[in-house]
Each structure stands twice: as structure tokens, then as C-alpha cells.
Amino acid sequence: GSTLVGMLLYPNRETSASDEPRPVAACVNVGGLVPVAPLQDPSMTQLDRLLSTLWGADVVGGGTPTHDAYTYALSALRVSVPEGAAHLLLITDGQPTYSLGCVGTGRAEDPVDEQPIVRAIAAARENGTRTFVIGSPGSEETGADGLDARPWLSRAASAGGTAREACSHDGPVYCHFDMVDEPDFAMGLSSALGRITGTIMPCEYVIPAPPTGKTLDPEAVHVVWTLEDGSQHELLRDDRNECGEGWRFTGDGGRVALCPASCQRIR
């Protein structure tokens, strides 16, 4: 009920080649955007909207405008979700074939420089939006030259602040979620989405303002973790430099931050 989700599919329209910059709508069907909204509501409207968009998708051979699609989706996300609470998931099967402004031929054998996309992902992270990256089957060999897209997808995940542990841009363990060798893509995708969901759970919580005329007593604050079965576990405050289990106030005193070990356990 507290999760908001939106979606933009790409490529989703026929696009001609161009050497001149064009509006994003020239290579991305922006009308196909499913705006960010609560995933769960009484009538399940958003879930139905997402599913119908997936089932009704007419993905044509329109090239791969990754930079334009990413930028447009990011702008839509920021309109709906406060900075720091938003995350973006990019799923692609290879190299971009259009640079920002829908510039390029759109042909797989004529990819464009992906570094501007990596910089855009890094800039989004600086502004509080992390980007997860999934490389679907086909990203290991794209285009007539057999160019491996996994190294740039790995760099993108690192730039987005979501690199996997002990990863390398040269493989075999890449920093993004690599689906190339998944025997069942649906199961592999479901597993990756599950891991991403656990990762994005926040470990800092804003302290609500006290009622009018009241003052918050920091020494009287208790943090309690309630499980699905109703059992409760109190987390103890830990103000030491090496905060392991428990919680502490952030520097400005406006938020409660879980210590790393407790954060990981709760996730």
C-alpha cells in the first residue's frame, strides 16, 4: 500500500534515422507512460494498468533510445516521488542505438556512445535517485560486431549506486543483474526484482513533528520493529562511532537511522 510504481516501455514506436536532435517523442512513445501511482488501491487500478500495458505492448523495431527513455522516466518519477525515496529500474538487452535527442540510425550494428547515459545515471544518484540495472538475454552480444554490452551496464549500475558485492565490469560477476545465463528469464527476473525490493527498503525514517505546543524528548524515543505475525522487537539506541545493531539519530536530529547490521537484518 505504501509502494508507488510507474512504467515506460521502450522501444515502442517506429523511428527514422536522424543526425539532428529531436524531441523525445520522436523516438519514445511518451503517451505510453504509466504514471507513478500507488500499486495497491481498493480497485487495483494501477496494477491493472501496468499489466494491460505489458500485455498490450507493441514493441516494434524502432531502435534503442535508452538515454531519452531514461531521462523521460526519471522526470516523471521526480514529479511523483520526493527525492531520496525514489528508485529507477532500467531493463535493456544491449547497446543504445540513439543518443539523447533521438539522434542516430537505430540500427543494432551502429550503436552510440553509452557514457552520457552513465553520467546521467550518476547525476540522478547525486540528486537522491538510485538506478538498478538488469541486462536481459542478448546483452552479451549485440550488433553485427558482437559487442558485449555487459561492461557498460555494469558501469551504469555502479554509477547508480546499486553495484552488487564483489563485482567487476569485466565479469564474470558484473555489477548489474546479468540475466544472460538464466535458464528461465521469468524466474530470474522475479528473483532480481525480489532482491531489489529488499534493497530499497529505507533505513532512515523522518521523525514526525510533535503536536502543537509539545516538545519531543529525544531521550524518550523508542524504536520498535513489528513483524508480520505481530511480534515486536525493540531496537536499542547506539550512539557509538561503530554503530552495529540498533539505531541512532542523524546529525540534524530529524531522522532515526538504523545501524547497518540492523538495517540488513530487517531488509
Side-chain angles (χ1 to χ4, degrees):
S2 62
T3 301
L4 290 80
V5 180
M7 181 173 65
L8 177 65
L9 301 180
Y10 82 99
N12 57 3
R13 71 177 312 147
E14 294 281 1
T15 305
S16 59
S18 176
D19 294 328
E20 298 294 330
R22 296 173 287 179
V24 60
C27 59
V28 178
N29 178 17
V30 296
L33 173 75
V34 178
V36 174
L39 185 60
Q40 183 178 6
D41 59 61
S43 61
M44 304 300 284
T45 303
Q46 183 68 354
L47 182 60
D48 288 342
R49 187 179 293 123
L50 292 165
L51 291 175
S52 63
T53 300
L54 283 170
W55 284 112
D58 182 17
V59 182
V60 296
T64 311
T66 303
H67 199 162
D68 283 281
Y70 178 87
T71 301
Y72 190 82
L74 179 63
S75 64
L77 183 64
R78 285 182 170 160
V79 167
S80 306
V81 184
E83 289 186 1
H87 302 81
L88 199 148
L89 169 61
L90 171 65
I91 305 179
T92 183
D93 66 352
Q95 300 289 131
T97 59
Y98 287 102
S99 55
L100 188 64
C102 303
V103 176
T105 66
R107 296 195 301 267
E109 62 271 19
D110 190 20
V112 298
D113 182 14
E114 69 279 345
Q115 192 55 34
I117 304 172
V118 176
R119 289 196 294 267
I121 290 173
R125 179 189 180 188
E126 288 294 318
N127 289 322
T129 299
R130 292 194 298 161
T131 299
F132 293 87
V133 181
I134 291 179
S136 55
S139 55
E140 77 280 13
E141 186 174 325
T142 58
D145 54 6
L147 191 63
D148 194 329
R150 289 176 294 181
W152 95 259
L153 296 176
S154 182
R155 295 197 308 274
S158 292
T162 61
R164 306 179 69 186
E165 292 185 6
C167 65
S168 168
H169 300 329
D170 297 321
V173 179
Y174 292 96
C175 298
H176 66 293
F177 289 90
D178 181 19
M179 301 280 111
V180 165
D181 295 321
E182 285 290 340
D184 186 320
F185 177 63
M187 290 185 63
L189 180 60
S190 179
S191 175
L193 293 175
R195 281 177 282 173
I196 289 171
T197 301
T199 301
I200 66 177
M201 195 205 79
C203 284
E204 289 191 5
Y205 301 90
V206 175
I207 301 173
T212 302
K214 301 292 185 179
T215 302
L216 177 72
D217 179 3
E219 300 304 319
V221 172
H222 291 257
V223 176
V224 178
W225 174 26
T226 303
L227 300 182
E228 192 172 11
D229 62 7
S231 61
Q232 295 185 326
H233 304 267
E234 182 172 1
L235 302 177
L236 302 180
R237 183 173 172 180
D238 186 351
D239 290 325
R240 296 174 298 174
N241 289 333
E242 297 297 328
C243 174
E245 288 278 2
W247 65 276
R248 60 170 60 180
F249 288 112
T250 57
D252 60 4
R255 289 172 293 170
V256 163
L258 302 183
C259 298
S262 292
C263 175
Q264 184 62 34
R265 186 156 56 93
I266 291 173
R267 281 176 168 169

